[in-house]
Amino acid sequence: MTLIRLTGVTKAYPAPAKGGEPVVAVDDVSLDIASGEICGIIGYSGAGKSTVLRLVNALEAPTAGAVEIDGRDITRLRERDLRALRGDIGMIFQQFNLFESRTVAGNVAYPLEVAGRTRAETAARVAELLDFVGLAAKAKSYPEQLSGGQKQRVGIARALATSPRILLADEATSALDPDTTQEVLELLRRVNRELGITILVITHEMDVIRTLADRVIVMEHGRIIESGDVFDVLSAP
Ligand code: ADP
Ligand code: ADP
């Protein structure tokens, strides 16, 4: 079943200088991501990968084309539906984006507080998530007391708080050393297999795609230049 579908999507940003050309970040992209799959988008800096992620979580609206989640066009949602959509999509980042003034538990609790869950519900869910990512003992620590890998595990727990169906990973291991990268990728595989969450990762690192993804999409200059099974695409001459 298709969960994420882009059909003929173009995203152009206004010209940076007066009289210049608009920047076409994403150029006539169509893609389908099935429920339960781990899909990777690889490409050099500037290829349009982050713009695709921002279109999927409705942070940007396409200039042309349609973005659908579960068969629903998300480009013209009302405020209320937009909030529901955001609860259905978790996101993790290269620099983790944790709140430094909040504890580990406070970071994971944040999306639940925004969603208006009760204190009891929040506490139970936070405990469950910290167990899942192996950080129960760090609930009262602050981000600055954690290693990079631990910070990303907090990021993952926070992204999962509202039980989304989709997890978007934006260069999620690019700030980590190779061993820590493997640990985080292993956790992401558990997120996919044990929780059934569909994962879309963008990266410039071939190894991340090889280790994690079922399928890869290669982007260049805003276009998809290749896509398919990871082994077939990345072993092609
Ligand atoms: P990637 O994630 O593959 O590095 P991006 O999606 O960030 O690529 O960027 C694609 C192109 O769009 C780049 O040329 C970039 O400079 C441009 N771009 C991205 N975001 C904006 C923005 N908010 N305003 C103007 N141009 C942007
Ligand atoms: P902060 O002061 O950073 O906001 P708190 O310690 O107040 O963080 O905790 C925020 C949320 O996390 C609360 O909703 C609380 O229920 C939950 N929480 C706090 N400590 C734990 C813990 N050890 N295990 C599970 N949940 C916790």
Side-chain angles (χ1 to χ4, degrees):
M1 188 201 73
T2 297
L3 187 55
I4 302 169
R5 170 170 284 163
L6 270 61
T7 312
V9 169
T10 292
K11 176 67 189 182
Y13 293 106
K18 212 173 171 195
E21 296 285 314
V23 178
V24 181
V26 171
D27 187 1
D28 192 22
V29 160
S30 297
L31 60 85
D32 272 353
I33 297 171
S35 179
E37 141 171 80
I38 304 184
C39 182
I41 301 182
I42 193 166
Y44 298 116
S45 177
K49 306 181 298 294
S50 335
T51 303
V52 168
L53 283 200
R54 292 201 300 271
L55 288 161
V56 168
N57 68 7
L59 283 173
E60 301 277 8
T63 311
V67 181
E68 289 165 289
I69 307 284
D70 216 7
R72 286 187 67 201
D73 187 344
I74 61 159
T75 53
R76 274 171 293 273
L77 291 182
R78 288 171 307 173
E79 195 57 39
R80 201 194 132 132
D81 296 326
L82 199 56
R83 251 182 289 134
L85 176 77
R86 297 263 160 78
D88 204 20
I89 301 180
M91 190 152 177
I92 57 174
F93 308 90
Q94 178 170 7
Q95 295 304 331
F96 322 119
N97 297 13
L98 301 180
F99 303 113
E100 297 294 327
S101 63
R102 284 187 158 225
T103 61
V104 165
N107 269 275
V108 179
Y110 180 77
L112 301 165
E113 291 168 7
V114 171
R117 306 287 175 83
T118 66
R119 291 172 69 114
E121 274 178 314
T122 299
R125 181 72 180 138
V126 169
E128 179 180 48
L129 288 158
L130 290 181
D131 269 341
F132 182 79
V133 302
L135 286 178
K138 298 284 181 187
K140 295 290 181 199
S141 300
Y142 284 87
E144 64 178 13
Q145 301 171 291
L146 305 179
S147 68
Q150 289 172 331
K151 285 184 197 177
Q152 193 57 290
R153 285 193 272 152
V154 176
I156 291 169
R158 183 179 60 183
L160 298 179
T162 56
S163 306
R165 283 185 299 172
I166 298 168
L167 179 65
L168 305 178
D170 185 352
E171 300 284 359
T173 56
S174 299
L176 304 175
D177 64 54
D179 286 347
T180 311
T181 293
Q182 289 309 314
E183 281 172 34
V184 168
L185 295 181
E186 183 52 46
L187 176 56
L188 291 175
R189 268 200 299 272
R190 284 181 52 219
V191 166
N192 175 254
R193 292 200 188 132
E194 295 175 25
L195 308 177
I197 294 175
T198 304
I199 301 181
L200 177 57
V201 298
I202 65 169
T203 181
H204 62 276
E205 296 173 303
M206 205 90 101
D207 279 346
V208 168
I209 300 286
R210 278 210 185 89
T211 316
L212 185 65
D214 305 314
R215 199 158 63 87
V216 62
I217 291 168
V218 185
M219 282 190 76
E220 205 174 282
H221 304 307
R223 290 175 165 268
I224 293 178
I225 58 164
E226 193 147 18
S227 76
D229 181 83
V230 169
F231 184 81
D232 295 340
V233 171
L234 299 186
S235 63

